[in-house]
Amino acid sequence: RDDLRARGLVRRYGGLTAVEHVDMDVPSGQVTGLIGPNGAGKSTLFSLLTGVEQPDEGRVHLGRRDITKMRPDARSRRGLVQTFQVPSLFPSLTVADNLLVAAENRRRDYAGGLLGMGSRGRGNALGVVEEVLGSLGLEDIRGTVAGTLPTGALRLVEFARALCARPDVLLLDEPASGLDAAETEKLSVLVRRIADDGVAILLVDHDVDLVFRVVDRVYAMVGGRVVAEGAPETVRDDP
Ligand code: ADP
Ligand code: ADP
């Protein structure tokens, strides 16, 4: 599976440098965290990785491919999938239909299989949806119209939608916001399991306790720069 690498990323807004020469590795099979105070540059860096923003300097690689100039939709077809702070489901479609849309939009050249599915076609897309619904315990709400779901369920469906796109790299922006403790715990177990399946995960969240509990490595940003990087224990002890 492809991993994600950023080298020398710079993003300026007028006189302000929001991201200043950032290097970052998001390796397969690991959960990588990104923390930092408000204004540190986390959102900007996230946007540079998803392709929503373009860097002034630096490169982003997905596996061996340079994706620096690639638009967000092209990146997602190549396996770089994100979840959004504001869930992006079709509100009038059922949960299952939302997932089916995501599964059918997957990359044409897809050959491997998160959750063990490799073949192609609509039948397979249905199979993927069933598998994801089952593995996330969402069967009970499969027929529910997405716009009527409470926040916790909505977040999980958003997560399920990302999985249906069979990511190599999964970028999670504040996935636990609005979740209660039990839902956050469920989400963190799922994130761990997806990583153990070989997916590269980047987790950006204000909930530092969640980040430190789940990640293998963490980057701490302040003022646009990475000020600490490493295993959670080592970064937490940093001043
Ligand atoms: P974080 O996500 O860590 O809170 P941001 O990436 O949102 O940080 O912001 C980093 C810095 O860049 C902040 O000073 C912010 O005000 C500034 N910034 C972010 N986006 C823009 C923008 N579109 N125009 C001007 N300044 C911006
Ligand atoms: P968060 O850190 O919770 O992701 P922010 O408040 O940092 O949210 O940013 C929310 C949005 O506002 C982002 O798209 C960011 O680019 C934009 N933004 C942040 N600061 C500024 C700014 N000073 N000028 C213009 N846009 C900004």
Side-chain angles (χ1 to χ4, degrees):
R1 283 175 192 273
D2 289 338
D3 55 4
L4 184 68
R5 271 168 299 120
R7 290 293 177 267
L9 288 183
V10 175
R11 180 70 170 105
R12 301 184 192 93
Y13 295 111
L16 177 109
T17 305
V19 170
E20 201 163 354
H21 293 289
V22 167
D23 297 334
M24 176 175 268
D25 287 307
V26 185
S28 303
Q30 289 193 20
V31 185
T32 303
L34 174 59
I35 58 170
N38 270 331
K42 303 182 301 296
S43 300
T44 303
L45 177 59
F46 193 88
S47 300
L48 297 174
L49 299 178
T50 59
V52 169
E53 298 264 357
Q54 288 287 310
D56 295 300
E57 294 174 29
R59 318 300 306 176
V60 180
H61 277 82
L62 180 63
R64 287 199 307 239
R65 187 190 293 263
D66 187 333
I67 61 167
T68 311
K69 302 271 185 235
M70 209 178 269
R71 296 163 62 89
D73 55 341
R75 293 186 194 206
S76 66
R77 281 196 300 275
R78 284 179 173 76
L80 182 75
V81 175
Q82 65 173 311
T83 62
F84 300 88
Q85 280 193 41
V86 180
S88 57
L89 303 167
F90 295 108
S92 61
L93 294 186
T94 64
V95 167
D97 284 342
N98 266 289
L99 299 189
L100 192 59
V101 169
E104 286 181 334
N105 281 340
R106 75 188 184 283
R107 291 163 293 154
R108 299 245 184 282
D109 60 352
Y110 182 77
L114 180 71
L115 310 166
M117 266 155 301
S119 57
R120 301 171 189 197
R122 185 180 168 88
N124 184 51
L126 284 168
V128 170
V129 170
E130 291 309 318
E131 180 89 13
V132 170
L133 281 171
S135 69
L136 269 57
L138 297 174
E139 299 100 328
D140 290 353
I141 58 167
R142 57 176 306 133
T144 305
V145 173
T148 66
L149 290 170
T151 305
L154 208 53
R155 291 265 165 222
L156 287 176
V157 175
E158 175 78 7
F159 193 72
R161 196 188 61 110
L163 293 184
C164 285
R166 259 77 40 87
D168 286 333
V169 179
L170 186 55
L171 304 177
L172 303 175
D173 190 8
E174 308 272 344
S177 75
L179 297 190
D180 65 25
E183 289 164 340
T184 301
E185 180 56 26
K186 184 171 183 185
L187 183 90
S188 62
V189 169
L190 289 171
V191 167
R192 227 18 285 175
R193 221 172 71 206
I194 304 308
D196 292 341
D197 259 358
V199 176
I201 297 181
L202 178 67
L203 174 63
V204 186
D205 211 289
H206 283 124
D207 183 348
V208 174
D209 287 334
L210 167 71
V211 171
F212 278 102
R213 209 163 60 236
V214 175
V215 304
D216 299 290
R217 293 178 70 72
V218 63
Y219 289 79
M221 279 182 87
V222 177
R225 294 178 179 276
V226 172
V227 295
E229 183 220 324
E233 316 82 72
T234 64
V235 170
R236 174 161 266 174
D237 292 341
D238 253 32

